[in-house]
Amino acid sequence: DLRWHILKARDYSAKALTLMLSNTGILNRPQFATCDFLINNNINTYTINWSTISEIEATHIAENYYSPYRLPLVTRLDEDTHWINVSDFQLNTPEAVESQTQLLTELLSINEMKTVILDTRGNRGGNSMHGFNILSAIFSKDLEAKNYFFNHLQFENQGSLGLFRASWQFYWSYDYMLNKTIAIQGAQSEHTLMLQDPLIRLKNALNRGEKSFYQAENSEHNNMPAPDDNWTSHMKLVLITDRHCMSSCLDFVDWAKLIPNLLHLGEPTDADTIYTHIADMQSDYLKETFNFMVPIKVFNKRLRDDNIPYIPDVIYEGNINDDKLLKPWVFNQIEQHFNTPVIQD
């Protein structure tokens, strides 16, 4: 497994090998009698004993593994400290769209935020612009931070281009996604407009018989000067991640980490390849249907490396979904790192 260094990949393998579930993705495998572990360059063999688990036990496993869904939300802990649920970049329900809109409105109305906790638990990706809008709203009242963030982002993204594979299968997949987005978010939503542009480019490429096309034209921001490395933010920025942070959630981490002295807490993230969009394909063989994921977009340059997770400055070893235990730990880490007490909720 080329992703064995990633916490979520090890979780998935453990689940696939030890739980007899219909969605493990392994066809017709036996119940293994033993399992070999490589420990200190020695192979140790352990016997596996299979037993049935109850629904309560299965629920407990799910509660510890999966983060509960949280709507986008900002909570004011005191006059200067705000905890923000950066939890959903898909916005697949009208309630989620409304919550995201309200979140941005509230952030823009806050005059000053001295400590900001960005909680991405449960975020598995979606539309990167939702995360970008949150960061832009946070920095809207701090002109120095805003200028540094945008200039640094443009500097790092110089020459970055997304190259799409042109195919009708991709076209109809994107067309379905566009119509679904219009039904939930409306024809003039930011996400809708973002999906329309590559769809137009894709159709033009197909009509011209081209096999690929660029997501956008070359950026006008070329040969930009490097940002000032001596600049420091007056804002104390804290980022919390879990092992499921993926795709556009990782984009959000990319951007947040541009701010100097950011404190990253929680679990190591998931990781992705430079092939950031995929299309599902099916093939039948010997009465079995196999699903394949075909890459349809590749980045020639981006902030994070290929299939490398982000490792927090301080890793949380407990159940990251248990707020009662996690939040006091986060406040303690903030106090140690910034030498500033935080009022706990």
Side-chain angles (χ1 to χ4, degrees), residues 174 192-202 213-217:
Y174 238 58
T192 298
L193 298 177
M194 188 193 76
L195 289 174
Q196 284 177 338
D197 183 63
L199 198 61
I200 293 172
R201 290 176 178 273
L202 170 57
F213 68 98
Y214 284 106
Q215 180 176 359
E217 301 296 338

Side-chain angles (χ1 to χ4, degrees), residues 14-51:
K15 175 183 173 183
L17 294 173
T18 59
L19 292 176
M20 296 295 293
L21 301 175
S22 60
N23 63 344
T24 55
I26 298 179
L27 297 174
N28 301 321
R29 65 163 174 79
Q31 289 187 353
F32 299 102
T34 61
C35 189
D36 295 338
F37 288 84
L38 181 62
I39 304 174
N40 297 327
N41 294 322
N42 295 316
I43 296 179
N44 294 6
T45 300
Y46 294 87
T47 300
I48 296 179
N49 296 314
W50 292 88
S51 63

Side-chain angles (χ1 to χ4, degrees), residues 220-290:
E220 61 186 30
H221 305 288
N222 292 316
N223 301 318
M224 292 188 62
D228 182 6
D229 289 335
N230 296 319
W231 180 82
T232 56
S233 174
H234 301 296
M235 185 184 301
K236 301 175 182 66
L237 203 61
V238 182
L239 174 69
I240 301 174
T241 59
D242 66 13
R243 67 192 67 189
H244 303 291
C245 181
M246 179 67 168
S247 186
S248 63
C249 178
L250 293 173
D251 290 339
F252 183 81
V253 177
D254 286 341
W255 301 332
K257 280 184 169 287
L258 295 177
I259 301 301
N261 204 29
L262 174 134
L263 175 61
H264 183 187
L265 304 173
E267 293 181 334
T269 66
D270 200 345
D272 58 1
T273 70
I274 57 175
Y275 301 98
T276 56
H277 283 53
I278 58 174
D280 293 329
M281 295 185 64
Q282 289 188 341
S283 178
D284 295 328
Y285 178 72
L286 296 178
K287 299 183 180 180
E288 292 279 7
T289 299
F290 295 87

Side-chain angles (χ1 to χ4, degrees), residues 44-70:
N44 294 6
T45 300
Y46 294 87
T47 300
I48 296 179
N49 296 314
W50 292 88
S51 63
T52 302
I53 62 173
S54 66
E55 291 186 10
I56 295 177
E57 290 172 317
T59 300
H60 181 68
I61 292 173
E63 287 175 348
N64 280 274
Y65 185 73
Y66 296 106
S67 298
Y69 178 73
R70 299 175 176 89

Side-chain angles (χ1 to χ4, degrees), residues 6 12 45-46 65 72 76 80 91 95 115 129 138 160 176 188 192-193 211 220 226 256 262-263 266 285 343-344:
I6 301 170
Y12 180 83
T45 300
Y46 294 87
Y65 185 73
R76 188 172 185 170
D80 301 319
L91 307 183
E95 183 183 14
T115 302
M129 287 306 301
I138 290 172
S160 177
Y176 170 80
Q188 297 303 314
T192 298
L193 298 177
K211 296 183 177 180
E220 61 186 30
L262 174 134
L263 175 61
Y285 178 72
I343 295 179
Q344 303 187 19

